[in-house]
Amino acid sequence: MPVENLYLQVIKKPEEGSEPGSMFDGSNQLFSKSYELQEGNDLNVSIDIRTAVLEGIALWADGTPAANIQINMQGRVDTNGDGSSIDWFGRSVKTDSRGRVSLSNARIGTYDLEVEEGPDQGVLRNVVVEPGGGATNLRLQLLATSTVSGRVDL
């Protein structure tokens, strides 16, 4: 008979000056797992937190750096470090003044990176972040989009 169901979550402390609620919005979550505590039994927990670096550059269609734009990242991540629990994860980061983006605590998983800045859009699909290696030297090229409108008579 279970005495208690527990949920353990490890969260990275947010950086100074970050939004007050950002600690609990999922972007700083490094580990999560549910446990069932049985009466008379000890619960030994082993936590394997694996993160890596995700970094690259965003460029406008003409090849110049896309400075200070927001990149949205969504992906499937291994939430407990052993492959038994895959969860969806989303986060937004801004490029710096040289168009560079870096996320030092990216959780292990597969990401899609998307940018929509005015008429320009860019997408990188299935970026794999692996333990120890991360995903570096990514290049996200923004391309101008066009809208065609008109009337079709049949």
Side-chain angles (χ1 to χ4, degrees):
M1 180 100 178
V3 173
E4 192 73 41
N5 289 317
L6 305 173
Y7 181 72
L8 178 63
Q9 188 173 35
V10 177
I11 300 171
K12 178 182 177 258
K13 182 179 177 183
E15 296 177 14
E16 293 270 338
S18 63
E19 295 291 319
S22 66
M23 184 172 201
F24 303 104
D25 69 1
S27 64
N28 289 310
Q29 179 180 317
L30 299 174
F31 174 92
S32 65
K33 190 170 183 178
S34 295
Y35 297 92
E36 189 175 275
L37 184 61
Q38 300 291 328
E39 186 174 345
N41 291 341
D42 291 335
L43 177 63
N44 295 315
V45 177
S46 175
I47 299 174
D48 179 16
I49 298 174
R50 298 180 295 163
T51 62
V53 175
L54 188 148
E55 62 186 13
I57 190 167
L59 302 168
W60 296 112
D62 65 4
T64 59
N68 303 311
I69 65 167
Q70 183 171 301
I71 297 178
N72 298 312
M73 301 185 307
Q74 295 183 3
R76 299 167 305 282
V77 295
D78 183 352
T79 58
N80 63 14
D82 66 5
S84 66
S85 178
I86 304 299
D87 198 4
W88 287 96
F89 174 76
R91 183 166 188 181
S92 295
V93 294
K94 278 198 163 225
T95 60
D96 66 13
S97 61
R98 298 171 309 178
R100 308 268 327 151
V101 62
S102 181
L103 180 62
S104 61
N105 65 333
R107 293 190 292 164
I108 306 310
T110 304
Y111 292 82
D112 292 337
L113 283 65
E114 298 179 356
V115 174
E116 187 172 331
E117 188 73 22
D120 299 326
Q121 296 181 354
V123 176
L124 278 179
R125 299 253 185 250
N126 297 315
V127 175
V128 177
V129 176
E130 296 179 335
T136 58
N137 297 316
L138 299 174
R139 183 181 171 103
L140 181 58
Q141 186 84 40
L142 281 74
L143 301 175
T145 58
S146 300
T147 301
V148 178
S149 61
R151 183 176 139 172
V152 176
D153 292 323
L154 299 176

